[in-house]
């Protein structure tokens, strides 16, 4: 082994090897081979990281009929103070990224491979939380980024949860990964806002204080979701009196439920209409007529969930269940995507709450899996009512503790300006700024100015992103300059400009332009071209 290592080495080096002296660069190459034992580094990494075998000699190996193929060493890494390295400045090339994670793309300037994995970056100390904020123009690769990251994280053992796929963009990918897709809508699957979901199994298996803790967690989630649905239905934010009224009504419906799956919204409404003494005590009424008059608006808002535009979606028991080891789950909302904003927002919030119960259940049974949760078009849910941002903001602060990687995807920060109150807009911008990783694509100068206020960009980064916003000419067939190109930012570090090349399989799974797949050039254009060529 030792003789093979120094085969082809200079004479002096071979003589030194005989007395046990090893040159520094040989030690460095040995350290690189030791690093290659890390299972998180793959064979596509640079030569210094490749698995197995010795470092080739300087002249390379003599291949039959090919001669020597010189070995290009990847170079040694050095570190020093400003005073020590002053004579080497300006540097001929910037330092390499060496970022591990899901194989994502290649560096635009150095061509080295770039990986992205928020969980690994958190362990490496590169970020302080696992949130991702992704923003770029439509068609520039926002969905491709989310899907490649999701597929890679599933390969690492994550579960992918899509809480409300409005365009069914993830359906093909989830099915390709042997996951489950459930389409919500009238006549399709339904979600019960009061359903314990996968927490039901964990609660049944628990006992004592642990069981009480899980029951209180499920109760709190129920009340938060029903309150959010009431706000979407037209109610104002509930004051303490009406929150207590709702909590007692849900508890009474739960106690009276005969179905093992628990109560549904009509059961809660039935309890409110009957008006037991516990509810009279909350609104401080002595007779039934006064009680019905005082609670009329509240009950009618809840009645809209049973008889209004969202009838048949949230007023029944949940019609699906999942297995714990499924690699990916998508809750499709395409059937109601063209409905009113209130219907879409209610569906997205219920889907999000159901996915949160999956996270809680996995932690409760002690078999936690890390989860990747892409949230696309989130602004459609947030702008439906005041205070809804608070619910999402509260959940995002627990991602690191829960082992969740959440991706927020949008086209413009102006989407957040449509939120109902100034408080909601401020919280939404804080949500965007707090994410540990920002991924930007092509944007115009006005949008870049808004982004710069939240996440500072250098002048060269802004110029690069602006150059990706549109093709330079009107000639058809030109590739969009920004498609598949991203700048990955984290804190005040210089961004990583990355170019992504999709495989043929990915082009099929990630295609979001299928509605135009049948459009071809007319025969007239083809005849004109053939005539001109002749």
């Amino acid at each position: 082994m030792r003789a093979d290592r120094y085969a082809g080495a200079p004479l002096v080096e071979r003589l030194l090897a005989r007395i046990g002296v090893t040159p520094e660069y040989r030690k460095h190459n040995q350290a690189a081979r030791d690093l290659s034992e890390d299972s998180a580094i793959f064979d596509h990494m640079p030569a210094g990281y490749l698995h197995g075998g010795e470092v080739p000699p300087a002249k390379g190996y003599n291949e039959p009929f090919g001669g020597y193929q010189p070995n290009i060493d990847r170079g040694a890494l050095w570190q020093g103070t400003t005073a020590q390295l002053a004579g080497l400045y300006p540097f001929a090339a910037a330092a390499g990224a060496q970022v591990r994670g899901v194989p994502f793309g290649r560096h635009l300037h150095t061509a080295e491979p770039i990986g992205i994995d928020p969980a690994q970056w958190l362990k490496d100390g590169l970020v302080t939380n696992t949130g991702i904020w992704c923003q770029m123009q439509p068609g520039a690769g926002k969905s491709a980024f989310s899907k490649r990251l999701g597929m890679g994280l599933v390969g690492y053992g994550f579960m992918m949860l899509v809480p409300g796929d409005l365009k069914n963009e993830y359906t093909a990918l989830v099915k390709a990964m042997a996951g489950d897709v459930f389409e919500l809508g009238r006549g399709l699957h339904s979600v019960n806002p009061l359903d314990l979901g996968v927490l039901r199994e964990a609660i049944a298996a628990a006992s004592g204080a642990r069981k009480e803790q899980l029951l209180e967690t499920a109760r709190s989630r129920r009340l938060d979701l029903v309150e959010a649905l009431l706000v979407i239905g037209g109610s104002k934010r509930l004051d303490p009196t009406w929150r207590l009224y709702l909590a007692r009504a849900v508890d009474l419906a739960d106690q009276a439920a005969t179905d093992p799956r628990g109560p549904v919204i009509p059961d809660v409404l039935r309890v409110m209409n009957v008006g037991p003494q516990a509810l009279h005590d909350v609104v401080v009424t002595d007779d039934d007529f006064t009680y019905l008059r005082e609670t009329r608006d509240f009950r009618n808002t809840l009645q809209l969930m049973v008889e209004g535009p969202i009838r048949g979606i949230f007023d029944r028991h949940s019609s699906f269940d999942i297995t714990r080891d499924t690699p990916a789950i998508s809750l499709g909302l395409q059937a109601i995507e063209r409905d009113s904003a209130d219907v879409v927002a209610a569906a997205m919030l219920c889907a999000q709450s159901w996915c949160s119960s999956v996270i809680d259940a996995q932690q409760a049974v002690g078999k936690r899996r890390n989860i990747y949760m892409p949230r696309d078009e989130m602004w459609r849910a947030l702008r439906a009512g005041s205070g809804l941002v608070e619910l999402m903001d509260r959940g995002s602060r627990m991602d690191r503790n829960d082992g969740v990687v959440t991706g927020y995807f949008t086209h413009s920060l102006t989407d957040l300006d449509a939120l109902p109150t100034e408080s909601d807009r401020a919280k939404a911008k804080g949500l965007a700024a707090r994410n540990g990783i920002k991924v930007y694509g092509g944007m115009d100068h006005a949008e870049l100015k808004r982004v710069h206020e939240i996440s500072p960009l250098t002048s060269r980064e802004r110029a690069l992103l602006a150059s990706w916003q549109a093709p330079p000419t009107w000639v058809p067939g030109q590739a969009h300059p920004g498609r598949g190109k991203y700048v990955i930012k984290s804190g005040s570090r210089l961004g990583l400009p990355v170019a992504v090349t999709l495989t043929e399989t990915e082009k099929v799974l990630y295609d979001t332009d299928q509605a135009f797949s049948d459009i071809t050039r007319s025969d007239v254009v083809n005849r004109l071209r053939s005539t001109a060529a002749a």
Side-chain angles (χ1 to χ4, degrees):
M1 178 67 71
R2 192 176 186 86
D4 292 340
R5 178 186 302 179
Y6 293 97
L11 177 61
V12 175
E13 186 174 335
R14 293 201 300 271
L15 292 175
L16 291 174
R18 292 181 179 275
I19 61 175
V21 178
T22 303
E24 285 299 320
Y25 83 95
R26 291 288 182 184
K27 295 179 181 179
H28 174 73
N29 288 339
Q30 182 62 41
R33 288 194 297 274
D34 295 339
L35 182 60
S36 69
E37 299 301 322
D38 191 341
S39 60
I41 300 179
F42 300 95
D43 291 339
H44 65 268
M45 298 298 284
Y49 292 112
L50 293 181
H51 287 281
E54 297 294 326
V55 175
K59 293 176 62 177
Y61 296 116
N62 188 6
E63 299 293 341
F65 307 104
Y68 284 97
Q69 181 180 3
N71 171 52
I72 302 177
D73 200 341
R74 71 185 184 97
L77 299 178
W78 299 90
Q79 183 175 353
T81 65
T82 305
Q84 292 172 322
L85 302 180
L88 300 178
Y89 187 83
F91 304 117
Q98 294 197 356
V99 179
R100 298 187 294 173
V102 175
F104 183 60
R106 66 186 185 279
H107 197 289
L108 276 175
H109 303 320
T110 64
E112 60 183 328
I114 298 296
I116 180 169
D117 182 353
Q120 182 63 49
W121 291 14
L122 180 68
K123 293 178 63 178
D124 291 343
L126 297 176
V127 297
T128 56
N129 67 79
T130 57
I132 302 174
W133 181 269
C134 183
Q135 179 179 340
M136 63 197 67
Q137 286 183 333
K142 177 169 59 70
S143 296
F145 164 77
S146 174
K147 293 170 185 176
R148 171 168 281 196
L149 176 62
M151 184 168 60
L153 291 178
V154 168
Y156 286 169
F158 278 61
M159 174 190 286
M160 182 175 176
L161 283 178
V162 186
D165 186 3
L166 287 173
K167 304 174 185 176
N168 283 3
E169 296 181 37
Y170 292 86
T171 298
L173 177 62
V174 171
K175 288 183 177 179
M177 295 189 296
D180 299 319
V181 177
F182 303 106
E183 184 72 18
L184 304 182
R186 303 172 188 87
L188 301 173
H189 285 293
S190 59
V191 175
N192 178 16
L194 303 178
D195 191 5
L196 297 177
V198 289
L199 262 178
R200 188 183 302 109
E201 178 183 350
I203 292 175
S207 61
R210 180 58 175 165
K211 186 170 186 176
E212 290 298 324
Q213 179 186 4
L214 292 177
L215 287 172
E216 289 301 318
T217 300
R219 179 178 182 271
S220 175
R221 193 177 299 281
R222 279 176 168 177
L223 296 177
D224 284 345
L225 180 56
V226 175
E227 180 180 348
L229 294 176
L230 289 170
V231 172
I232 293 174
S235 175
K236 298 179 180 179
R237 291 287 294 176
L238 302 185
D239 59 28
T241 297
W242 292 115
R243 285 181 180 175
L244 178 60
Y245 178 79
L246 175 63
R248 287 196 178 180
V250 171
D251 289 342
L252 292 172
D254 194 17
Q255 296 168 10
T258 57
D259 194 303
R261 294 172 293 181
V264 290
I265 293 297
D267 295 332
V268 178
L269 188 60
R270 193 175 301 113
V271 170
M272 292 180 177
N273 289 335
V274 172
Q277 186 59 42
L279 299 185
H280 278 266
D281 294 341
V282 175
V283 294
V284 192
T285 56
D286 296 328
D287 58 274
D288 292 341
F289 178 78
T290 306
Y291 165 81
L292 294 175
R293 184 181 60 189
E294 292 292 330
T295 62
R296 179 186 59 187
D297 292 341
F298 192 97
R299 291 182 292 107
N300 286 343
T301 302
L302 196 62
Q303 186 75 35
L304 284 175
M305 296 183 61
V306 180
E307 299 182 5
I310 59 177
R311 181 176 64 180
I313 305 177
F314 307 115
D315 56 351
R316 300 180 292 160
H317 287 289
S318 298
S319 58
F320 58 89
D321 203 354
I322 65 168
T323 56
R324 190 179 302 159
D325 58 349
T326 185
I329 302 171
S330 176
L331 301 183
L333 301 178
Q334 189 179 35
I336 60 174
E337 194 268 338
R338 296 183 184 276
D339 283 15
S340 66
D342 293 348
V343 175
V344 174
M348 294 183 72
L349 285 175
C350 282
Q352 175 184 325
S353 177
W354 185 87
C355 289
S356 297
S357 70
V358 173
I359 300 173
D360 292 339
Q362 289 192 351
Q363 292 188 352
V365 298
K367 296 182 179 180
R368 187 180 72 179
R369 290 174 62 187
N370 294 111
I371 289 175
Y372 170 60
M373 186 182 299
R375 290 180 174 175
D376 203 353
E377 303 286 346
M378 61 172 184
W379 55 271
R380 297 189 64 173
L382 298 182
R383 71 178 185 179
S386 175
L388 297 181
V389 180
E390 177 65 28
L391 296 177
M392 181 171 291
D393 182 67
R394 192 188 313 164
S396 67
R397 296 177 184 271
M398 298 298 295
D399 282 353
R400 184 174 61 177
N401 181 68
D402 295 338
V404 178
V405 174
T406 303
Y408 301 92
F409 299 88
T410 187
H411 296 303
S412 174
L413 289 176
T414 56
D415 294 335
L416 305 181
D417 293 338
L419 297 178
T421 67
E422 185 60 35
S423 175
D424 288 339
R425 290 189 285 272
K427 290 179 181 178
K429 290 181 179 179
L431 177 66
R434 194 169 57 252
N435 289 281
I437 302 172
K438 279 86 172 178
V439 180
Y440 299 123
M443 289 180 279
D444 57 43
H445 291 282
E447 189 63 34
L448 286 171
K449 184 177 179 180
R450 287 188 286 267
V451 169
H452 183 67
E453 296 176 355
I454 295 179
S455 176
L457 300 170
T458 66
S459 58
R460 299 188 68 176
E461 289 170 346
R462 292 198 298 269
L464 184 63
L465 292 171
S467 68
W468 293 344
Q469 63 178 312
T473 70
W474 286 95
V475 178
Q478 297 288 324
H480 193 288
R483 176 164 287 189
K485 295 179 181 178
Y486 311 87
V487 171
I488 303 175
K489 292 279 293 182
S490 179
S492 59
R493 301 184 187 94
L494 291 177
L496 298 173
V498 181
V500 175
T501 302
L502 300 180
T503 65
E504 293 301 320
T505 302
E506 287 179 310
K507 290 178 181 178
V508 176
L509 293 177
Y510 303 170
D511 185 16
T512 57
D513 297 329
Q514 296 180 2
F516 299 98
S517 59
D518 296 332
I519 296 179
T520 59
R521 295 185 181 275
S522 66
D523 294 336
V524 176
V525 174
N526 290 332
R527 284 197 299 270
L528 289 174
R529 286 193 167 184
S530 61
T531 302

